[in-house]
Amino acid sequence: MRKLRFFCLLALIISLFSVVTTSAQDVLGLDGSWDLSLNDSTHYDDYVMLPGSLQSNGKGGSHFVGKAWYRKGVYIPRDWRKKRISLFLERPHAETTVYINGKEIGHQTSRFTPHLYDVTQHLVVGCRNTIVVCVDTSDCSGISGRIELQTQPREMSIKKVKINPEPVDGFLQMTVWIDSEHHPAGYFEDMVIIIVPDDKKEEVTFMATEDVVSRKMDLRIPIGTGFALWDEFSPKLYRMGIRVGDDYYETTFGLRMVRSADKRLSINGRPLWLRGTLENGFFPKTAYPPADESSWTDIFAKVKAYGLNHVRFRSYCPPDAAFAAADKLGVYLLLEGTMTPEEQKSISDTYGHHPSLVMMNAGDGWNCPMITCGQNQEEPMSCYKQQIERNLLSKDDVGFLLPSFDECSRFPAKDWCEFCSPLVPLARFPKSDYTTADTLRVPIEVYNALYGNISPIRKAYFITEGERVITGGALSSDSIPMSKNCGIGTVVCPLDSISKPSKLTLTVSIGKEVVNHWDFWVHPEAPKQEDTLNE
């Protein structure tokens, strides 16, 4: 038995480090041309390209409502005779009904997770088979993402794996479901598990074996404290490989601990403040969200470039590619909308191993205040700056949410990040208009949402009128704790040297890279009434 376990571990390590996945030869992609029929008719007189939608194919008009029938002929290899075969539809755009060789085999209604049909008993190997998928929808009809036939060993295979990304007392909790023709314990099989860092192909972090004793295996894997935790600044990921008999499963996951208590959020024991935007699922070119990772990488990279760290999906759940991209870039994702308990469980089972999925809310409200300005495309950036800084200065607010990323992306990212970043200097201006009789007194604070305290670093200010520097100086040289409302000094400047109405600018810098600035206005002091009478 020890030799068997050793060779199983060796085979699994080779599988994890192999360039070609072990299942590549057991998947038959169904991308390409499909025959098309609309509504209740099954007279196929047109065709579309899948993955895609009626809208992306220019069929059915812009607001088609009804049934779309997709038909394709597929040759099933003879060597699949002893395989379990599944039809995988990653993201159907509504309910699906599947027919194999003219016979209805099933119906599924999940809106946000893949539809998976066991077609083992319905396909004829060594022959050409007809697959029909009927998509019944009210807006966008089609199928996006992967469309394929998948095979697994029939005697024993891995049906599903659910990984909890929150470690508990040094243990990783996971559940593995087994498919087998007989009771799994009768096969005397081992389940071999290995974990490696996603960014290192030569280092094995953990390996273990478990006896397969039932069709549902609830496991507590003793990983200890040596695993790095995932967050926006250190998006550490791991790859897990599982082998049972001749079947193999591989996935990527991360570990993190998200908590909500006393109207505060934390991740991995540190405060978490959210700077986010809504994603409403509006993709006019295709009428559906992309299912490829590169598209979501582009979206989230732009979000991070503007100093934001989370995206809230309103009324829908994105495909797996979105979570994979967010995992790698360190973006927190929140799902919100009218989801049934069954849908929430399905989403958790399917995407819950992604550390980027930090929250799921079935209601329509959340404790992060909404910034409502910017609905008008002509709104200046100063409006956003004012409201975001107000939020960052607030002791009680845990974050903010922009109504649309398109609103802020109209402005240069460098200018936007002055007031929207993990580290922002802030000024508490009591007013914006002064006279030459006033003395400017502005308390300066720092919003530090970085990964920890900042060691002593140069902090300075200067006041300018156009290109002319009026005054400047150093602020507190102390370290900056990870917190909001960290005071670093007060800018004091008499304004009696200003001889004419002027717009002045206060600029505060932390180190060489972090800068923020504010405009204020100074007017000559109005003559006193008695002086006017004497004249």
Side-chain angles (χ1 to χ4, degrees), residues 429-442 461-465 468 470-471 491-506 519-525:
F429 271 86
K431 57 184 180 179
S432 58
D433 288 276
Y434 294 83
T435 72
T436 53
D438 293 326
T439 295
L440 181 73
R441 296 181 185 274
V442 180
Y461 77 93
F462 55 92
I463 297 174
T464 57
E465 179 185 11
R468 183 173 71 94
I470 296 175
T471 187
V491 172
V492 179
C493 176
L495 301 174
D496 53 3
S497 63
I498 308 301
S499 60
K500 62 180 180 179
S502 302
K503 182 183 80 170
L504 306 185
T505 301
L506 168 64
D519 295 331
F520 62 99
W521 287 259
V522 179
H523 306 276
E525 182 184 14

Side-chain angles (χ1 to χ4, degrees), residues 111-112 265 274 276-281 310-318 323 332-340 343-344 347 351 356-370 400-403:
R111 295 184 296 166
F112 307 120
L265 299 174
L274 297 177
T277 183
L278 274 176
E279 173 32 63
N280 293 306
H310 102 279
V311 176
R312 181 169 76 169
F313 291 85
R314 191 169 187 177
S315 300
Y316 85 101
C317 171
F323 296 102
Y332 307 120
L333 303 186
L334 167 70
L335 308 184
E336 183 178 78
T338 53
M339 300 175 186
T340 66
E343 287 176 329
Q344 291 188 63
I347 290 171
Y351 307 121
S356 56
L357 177 55
V358 296
M359 300 180 208
M360 188 159 50
N361 186 355
D364 291 322
W366 196 42
N367 59 355
C368 278
M370 169 78 78
F400 63 81
L401 191 69
L402 298 169

Side-chain angles (χ1 to χ4, degrees), residues 134-177:
C134 178
V135 181
D136 193 353
T137 186
S138 60
D139 45 19
C140 171
S141 181
I143 305 169
S144 58
R146 291 183 291 138
I147 308 171
E148 58 194 26
L149 291 172
Q150 304 172 343
T151 69
Q152 291 179 287
R154 186 177 292 189
E155 285 188 355
M156 179 178 291
S157 59
I158 301 169
K159 183 178 182 180
K160 184 172 66 172
V161 176
K162 181 180 180 180
I163 301 173
N164 185 345
E166 297 223 357
V168 178
D169 298 330
F171 287 86
L172 172 66
Q173 300 179 102
M174 57 184 292
T175 303
V176 181
W177 286 263

Side-chain angles (χ1 to χ4, degrees), residues 375-437:
Q375 300 295 344
N376 185 340
Q377 289 293 326
E378 301 302 318
E379 200 75 68
M381 188 170 66
S382 59
C383 178
Y384 290 101
K385 176 180 171 67
Q386 181 181 22
Q387 294 203 40
I388 288 177
E389 289 187 351
R390 185 182 303 162
N391 181 281
L392 302 187
L393 284 166
S394 171
K395 181 180 180 180
D396 298 325
D397 288 342
V398 299
F400 63 81
L401 191 69
L402 298 169
S404 169
F405 180 68
D406 291 338
E407 295 295 304
C408 64
S409 63
R410 296 184 291 115
F411 308 107
K414 182 179 180 181
D415 296 342
W416 182 272
C417 285
E418 281 197 5
F419 56 87
C420 182
S421 288
L423 184 65
V424 181
L426 299 164
R428 286 191 179 272
F429 271 86
K431 57 184 180 179
S432 58
D433 288 276
Y434 294 83
T435 72
T436 53

Side-chain angles (χ1 to χ4, degrees), residues 128-233:
R128 190 172 183 82
N129 294 251
T130 301
I131 300 175
V132 172
V133 181
C134 178
V135 181
D136 193 353
T137 186
S138 60
D139 45 19
C140 171
S141 181
I143 305 169
S144 58
R146 291 183 291 138
I147 308 171
E148 58 194 26
L149 291 172
Q150 304 172 343
T151 69
Q152 291 179 287
R154 186 177 292 189
E155 285 188 355
M156 179 178 291
S157 59
I158 301 169
K159 183 178 182 180
K160 184 172 66 172
V161 176
K162 181 180 180 180
I163 301 173
N164 185 345
E166 297 223 357
V168 178
D169 298 330
F171 287 86
L172 172 66
Q173 300 179 102
M174 57 184 292
T175 303
V176 181
W177 286 263
I178 303 295
D179 255 343
S180 60
E181 293 183 330
H182 306 287
H183 195 282
Y187 290 97
F188 302 101
E189 288 285 355
D190 284 337
M191 178 185 298
V192 185
I193 302 169
I194 185 169
I195 301 174
V196 301
D198 189 48
D199 56 351
K200 295 181 180 179
K201 295 186 177 181
E202 72 285 351
E203 177 185 333
V204 175
T205 301
F206 177 85
M207 61 176 66
T209 60
E210 299 281 345
D211 294 327
V212 178
V213 296
S214 65
R215 287 187 169 86
K216 180 183 178 183
M217 301 277 292
D218 292 316
L219 305 175
R220 297 179 77 239
I221 307 298
I223 60 173
T225 58
F227 278 65
L229 297 180
W230 179 97
D231 66 14
E232 62 184 291
F233 304 107

Side-chain angles (χ1 to χ4, degrees), residues 278-345:
L278 274 176
E279 173 32 63
N280 293 306
F282 180 63
F283 297 90
K285 292 184 179 180
T286 60
Y288 60 86
D292 63 292
E293 189 174 325
S294 62
S295 294
W296 287 104
T297 297
D298 291 342
I299 292 172
F300 294 144
K302 292 176 183 177
V303 166
K304 292 208 73 172
Y306 278 78
L308 305 175
N309 64 356
H310 102 279
V311 176
R312 181 169 76 169
F313 291 85
R314 191 169 187 177
S315 300
Y316 85 101
C317 171
D320 186 77
F323 296 102
D327 288 348
K328 294 176 181 178
L329 292 176
V331 179
Y332 307 120
L333 303 186
L334 167 70
L335 308 184
E336 183 178 78
T338 53
M339 300 175 186
T340 66
E342 292 77 14
E343 287 176 329
Q344 291 188 63
K345 183 179 184 304

